[in-house]
Amino acid sequence: MTAAVFRKHFPALEQRVHLASCSIGARSSDLDDALLRMADDLSGNAWESFEREVLLARQGFAKLVGADEDQIALLPNASTGAYQAASTMEFGKRWKVVTTPVEFPSIAHVWLAQQPRGAEVVFTAEPEDYERFVDRRTRLVSVPLVSYQHGRRLPVERAVHAAEQVGAQVFVDAYQAVGVMPVDVSELDCDFLVAGASKYLPGLPGLAFLYVRDPELTDRVPQLTGWFGRVNPFAFDPTTLDFPGTASRFETGTPPVPACYAANAALGLIGALDLAEVRMHVLQLTELAASRLTGQGEQVHALPPERRGAHIGLVDPDPAALARGLASRDVTVSPRGDLVRISFHYYNNEEDVAALCDALDDVRSGR
């Protein structure tokens, strides 16, 4: 599917420029159709339809990242995925959790919450400096594939190698990568990977996917559970706590049904793409935007292409106010910290870059 054909699935982009996929994906006609179908399913055998959507979401994400469906758990958010992974670990003989200062706070907070259980959380001095901090005391290495604020593509391969040398496990947060670049769990060689279906997988908030390489090879069973974490959820036996041998043992209660419908719409769209081509398309747009904005006198935070995710940053003393100014001119961006994040997907084009530059010029001049 070409970028132009992909864009046609997002008719709202004819009226508004969407450069905020790092926060929330653009609305597609496929998403609309999926939610209408869910409403129709409510009038029939609703739960049978809902269970089908849950299964399809599990299978679709597994295919996207090169996993087996038995290695995928469906959870409400990435934070829960991180907690479930941490809850299966003992921090006795190995107690260090090595992470990075550019970790998404919600993930880092889960690691910090393990301190009463004996974990020592160590943040690397520099975002990519894992090798200096991983040693034989390390239980877990946590690394984002792409950082949420600056769009930094981290050296996951190096972090994995450092972990393997000492027998530590690796947790990868791929939320800012899945859907906009190739992601393969076998190539990453990680033990856990979490991603969601509301950003570059343009669905809805409320659903995250947790990949677990070896669901049964943990120190202990997941500590947060529910009826979907049972061998047979429909046994309805309150007296028996059993765990399947698959990643569904990490699941809890009733899945977020609307988000599953939305995720399947997104997975259908993204699954039809050549993600290597998507990656090149996005890098070209980020390069063009960085060049145009710098030429207008803006201070741009853009890493070299090989270290860049799908967004660049615009430095501004009041990012939220600038984002509101651009929104009033039909350009959606995403403020974070001292930056306005400007992110691109396969549905964006050079005209979007021109519209951003024109709108920004209007905001700066007070027009």
Side-chain angles (χ1 to χ4, degrees):
M1 188 189 304
T2 66
V5 171
F6 185 64
R7 184 180 173 94
K8 290 180 180 178
H9 289 266
F10 300 83
L13 299 183
E14 297 306 312
Q15 286 77 45
R16 189 172 190 89
V17 176
H18 188 86
L19 301 174
S21 297
C22 57
S23 177
I24 188 75
R27 174 183 173 184
S28 70
S29 55
D30 299 62
L31 171 61
D32 292 353
D33 292 344
L35 295 180
L36 286 172
R37 182 162 49 80
M38 183 192 72
D40 288 341
D41 288 343
L42 283 168
S43 301
N45 190 342
W47 282 107
E48 182 176 311
S49 299
F50 295 168
E51 290 163 26
R52 181 186 67 245
E53 294 295 322
V54 170
L55 175 61
L56 289 174
R58 189 190 315 280
Q59 293 173 336
F61 184 78
K63 182 178 180 180
L64 183 65
V65 300
D68 186 89
E69 66 179 271
D70 287 343
Q71 295 174 306
I72 304 298
L74 275 60
L75 295 164
N77 49 57
S79 306
T80 305
Y83 174 79
Q84 290 295 73
S87 78
T88 65
M89 299 177 189
E90 298 287 358
F91 297 100
K93 295 180 180 179
R94 294 172 175 266
W95 59 88
K96 282 179 64 175
V97 177
V98 179
T99 185
T100 170
V102 301
E103 184 89 86
F104 187 68
S106 192
I107 303 298
H109 294 165
V110 171
W111 310 144
L112 291 169
Q114 307 312 306
Q115 291 176 128
R117 297 181 50 223
E120 176 192 356
V121 181
V122 177
F123 290 88
T124 60
E126 297 294 332
E128 302 175 356
D129 195 17
Y130 280 88
E131 291 94 336
R132 284 207 307 128
F133 293 87
V134 174
D135 57 33
R136 295 196 176 278
R137 298 169 296 172
T138 304
R139 179 66 183 81
L140 180 69
V141 175
S142 178
V143 54
L145 188 49
V146 175
S147 67
Y148 77 99
Q149 185 174 9
H150 295 101
R152 182 193 300 264
R153 192 171 184 179
L154 274 78
V156 174
E157 298 82 1
R158 282 169 38 201
V160 168
H161 179 71
E164 287 179 342
Q165 295 300 106
V166 299
Q169 290 187 297
V170 178
F171 183 98
V172 173
D173 176 3
Y175 220 129
Q176 292 287 344
V178 168
V180 77
M181 63 180 66
V183 176
D184 187 293
V185 292
S186 297
E187 293 180 6
L188 292 174
D189 198 23
C190 56
D191 298 283
F192 301 93
L193 179 142
V194 72
S198 61
K199 301 184 189 299
Y200 297 106
L201 279 180
L204 289 175
L207 178 65
F209 301 97
L210 176 66
Y211 159 79
V212 186
R213 174 156 52 187
D214 298 304
E216 290 186 285
L217 297 183
T218 57
D219 297 335
R220 57 183 191 167
V221 297
Q223 298 299 291
L224 179 64
T225 194
W227 69 304
F228 267 75
R230 302 287 70 77
V231 172
N232 177 13
F234 298 98
F236 296 109
D237 180 1
T239 68
T240 301
L241 183 65
D242 55 16
F243 290 85
T246 66
S248 61
R249 60 172 36 212
F250 288 79
E251 295 180 1
T252 57
T254 304
V257 170
C260 288
Y261 276 82
N264 286 327
L267 287 163
L269 284 169
I270 299 301
L273 303 179
D274 178 346
L275 287 170
E277 172 61 29
V278 173
R279 171 74 174 154
M280 291 303 301
H281 177 87
V282 166
L283 282 178
Q284 289 167 4
L285 289 177
T286 58
E287 198 71 11
L288 175 64
S291 175
R292 289 282 305 272
L293 292 169
T294 301
Q296 287 185 201
E298 297 292 341
Q299 185 179 351
V300 178
H301 187 285
L303 292 158
E306 67 275 10
R307 295 172 54 208
R308 187 188 307 158
H311 73 266
I312 60 174
L314 189 62
V315 181
D316 190 83
D318 192 345
L322 179 56
R324 289 193 295 271
L326 291 171
S328 70
R329 292 161 176 81
D330 295 326
V331 176
T332 302
V333 293
S334 174
R336 281 292 182 277
D338 62 347
L339 296 175
V340 171
R341 298 182 299 175
I342 301 167
S343 59
F344 294 90
H345 208 318
Y346 202 46
Y347 45 63
N348 293 116
N349 57 27
E350 293 185 4
E351 286 74 20
D352 291 340
V353 175
L356 166 68
C357 293
D358 290 344
L360 186 58
D361 186 55
D362 284 350
V363 171
R364 297 302 195 202
S365 63
R367 290 197 293 267

